[in-house]
Amino acid sequence: MEIINCLKKYSDVYYEEMFGSSVTKSSDGFSHASKFLSDFALSTDEYLQECAPKMQKVFKPVGVAEFKICTSPVNMLFQPAYETTLLISSPLFMEDTYHLIQKICQACGDRFLYIVEDSVEDTAFQLKIPVTTSWEQLQSGGFISTVLFNMPYNNYRIFGDSCSWGRWCDYENSWADYEIFGSKCDIPEIKDYLQKMALSLDDYLYMKNNIGFPKSIHVMIDGGRR
């Protein structure tokens, strides 16, 4: 990703107005955002040589324009070895869910967490984050952290370098903000994550009756599947 272009894009007044005071730039806000990307952004070579081959082990090369949650089968997204579960999920991380993902990474032997925005723009996020990174460090990037963790309309693929699991997070569709979690291992940490993110029965019935669920997707509800 092009760090300078990304900084210019998200420091624009448009994003200040979108997010309000939470993204308003202080005198050192730009330096915080710049340091965040310097620490975590992948260069083009790193992305192509390191990140992309691992991502292809988890996900099929399907873009957001091709996959439609209400009509497309889940096997369009993940490689065949992965069991998938639909979860209603927004934003990208909250503190407690980030800690759960860290536990999954540790159990799977991941050293790094990759976050790849599903976009061909040179400002698309392509990040490599050590699994030991604290929540406070993730939030230290000023307006970049605000955009990354709170901005609607972007879509992301998230996975660890063990290629044991992945998240497709879709925040740009007419159905609902959701993720599809895929894994090819059965460990307590993944069960804990799915349980934490599971819909309550009341939420399930509301969505079923008022919004509708896509077909051919396992939905985790209070620890069980529907």
Side-chain angles (χ1 to χ4, degrees):
M1 62 179 293
E2 294 294 336
I3 291 177
I4 298 300
N5 290 348
C6 186
L7 290 169
K8 289 179 178 177
K9 175 179 178 178
Y10 289 119
S11 62
D12 187 86
V13 67
Y14 168 79
Y15 294 97
E16 287 191 55
E17 293 173 350
M18 175 183 289
F19 293 112
S21 59
S22 64
V23 78
T24 300
K25 300 182 292 301
S26 62
S27 59
D28 59 353
F30 199 91
S31 63
H32 288 165
S34 179
K35 184 180 187 307
F36 181 93
L37 291 180
S38 295
D39 288 343
F40 299 129
L42 290 162
S43 68
T44 299
D45 286 344
E46 287 174 325
Y47 173 76
L48 293 175
Q49 297 174 17
E50 174 187 344
C51 178
K54 294 180 184 298
M55 185 166 65
Q56 290 169 6
K57 292 181 180 180
V58 181
F59 299 96
K60 292 182 179 179
V62 178
V64 67
E66 300 171 74
F67 179 79
K68 302 298 181 185
I69 182 63
C70 292
T71 57
S72 301
V74 174
N75 60 13
M76 283 185 65
L77 293 175
F78 285 86
Q79 296 293 352
Y82 293 79
E83 182 177 358
T84 56
T85 303
L86 173 68
L87 303 167
I88 304 305
S89 172
S90 183
L92 186 64
F93 284 123
M94 296 185 72
E95 184 172 5
D96 57 346
T97 56
Y98 176 65
H99 291 322
L100 288 172
I101 291 294
Q102 282 183 306
K103 291 180 179 178
I104 291 173
C105 288
Q106 291 161 1
C108 292
D110 292 312
R111 295 176 302 154
F112 299 101
L113 180 71
Y114 294 96
I115 300 176
V116 178
E117 183 183 343
D118 198 275
S119 171
V120 297
E121 296 184 9
D122 66 1
T123 57
F125 290 108
Q126 296 172 348
L127 308 176
K128 177 183 177 182
I129 299 173
V131 298
T132 55
T133 302
S134 70
W135 177 251
E136 290 72 25
Q137 287 173 294
L138 281 189
Q139 298 299 308
S140 68
F143 59 84
I144 288 295
S145 291
T146 301
V147 168
L148 181 61
F149 297 113
N150 294 291
M151 182 179 177
Y153 315 128
N154 287 356
N155 306 286
Y156 300 95
R157 301 172 199 254
I158 304 171
F159 56 99
D161 60 327
S162 69
C163 303
S164 300
W165 62 275
R167 298 170 68 203
W168 165 279
C169 297
D170 184 352
Y171 305 137
E172 186 182 24
N173 67 91
S174 59
W175 181 63
D177 289 346
Y178 72 93
E179 70 176 78
I180 297 174
F181 187 95
S183 66
K184 61 177 183 180
C185 55
D186 184 15
I187 58 174
E189 289 79 5
I190 287 179
K191 292 179 180 178
D192 289 345
Y193 178 80
L194 296 180
Q195 178 64 42
K196 168 67 178 179
M197 302 297 288
L199 283 172
S200 69
L201 182 59
D202 286 344
D203 288 341
Y204 170 79
L205 292 174
Y206 174 81
M207 296 195 72
K208 180 179 179 181
N209 295 330
N210 294 279
I211 302 176
F213 279 107
K215 297 180 179 179
S216 304
I217 294 181
H218 293 303
V219 182
M220 183 70 70
I221 305 166
D222 293 338
R225 287 181 178 270
R226 291 292 177 96

Coordinates of all heavy atoms in Angstrom, one line a residue, residues 194-195 198-199 220-225:
L194 N -16.5 -17.9 18.5 CA -17.8 -18.1 17.9 C -19.0 -17.9 18.9 O -20.0 -17.4 18.6 CB -17.9 -19.5 17.2 CG -16.9 -19.7 16.1 CD1 -17.1 -21.1 15.5 CD2 -17.1 -18.7 15.0
Q195 N -18.8 -18.4 20.1 CA -19.8 -18.3 21.2 C -19.9 -16.8 21.5 O -21.1 -16.3 21.7 CB -19.4 -19.1 22.4 CG -20.4 -18.9 23.6 CD -21.7 -19.5 23.2 OE1 -21.9 -20.5 22.6 NE2 -22.8 -18.7 23.6
A198 N -21.9 -15.1 18.7 CA -23.1 -15.7 18.3 C -24.3 -14.7 18.5 O -24.3 -13.9 19.5 CB -23.4 -16.9 19.1
L199 N -25.3 -14.8 17.7 CA -26.5 -14.1 17.8 C -27.3 -14.6 19.0 O -27.3 -15.8 19.2 CB -27.3 -14.2 16.5 CG -27.0 -13.4 15.3 CD1 -27.8 -13.8 14.1 CD2 -27.1 -11.9 15.6
M220 N -24.3 -19.3 13.7 CA -24.1 -19.6 15.1 C -25.1 -18.8 16.0 O -25.1 -17.6 15.9 CB -22.7 -19.3 15.5 CG -22.4 -19.7 17.0 SD -22.3 -21.5 17.2 CE -20.8 -22.0 16.3
I221 N -25.9 -19.5 16.8 CA -26.9 -18.8 17.6 C -26.8 -19.4 19.0 O -27.1 -20.5 19.3 CB -28.3 -19.0 17.1 CG1 -28.5 -18.6 15.7 CG2 -29.3 -18.3 18.0 CD1 -29.7 -19.1 15.0
D222 N -26.3 -18.6 20.0 CA -26.2 -19.0 21.4 C -25.5 -20.3 21.5 O -25.9 -21.2 22.3 CB -27.6 -19.1 22.0 CG -28.2 -17.7 22.1 OD1 -27.5 -16.7 22.1 OD2 -29.5 -17.6 22.2
G223 N -24.5 -20.5 20.7 CA -23.7 -21.7 20.9 C -24.1 -22.9 20.0 O -23.4 -23.9 19.9
G224 N -25.3 -22.8 19.3 CA -25.7 -23.8 18.4 C -25.8 -23.3 17.0 O -25.6 -22.1 16.7
R225 N -26.1 -24.2 16.0 CA -26.2 -23.8 14.6 C -27.6 -23.9 14.2 O -28.4 -24.7 14.6 CB -25.3 -24.7 13.8 CG -23.9 -24.5 13.9 CD -23.1 -25.4 13.0 NE -21.7 -25.2 13.1 CZ -21.0 -24.3 12.3 NH1 -21.6 -23.6 11.4 NH2 -19.7 -24.2 12.4

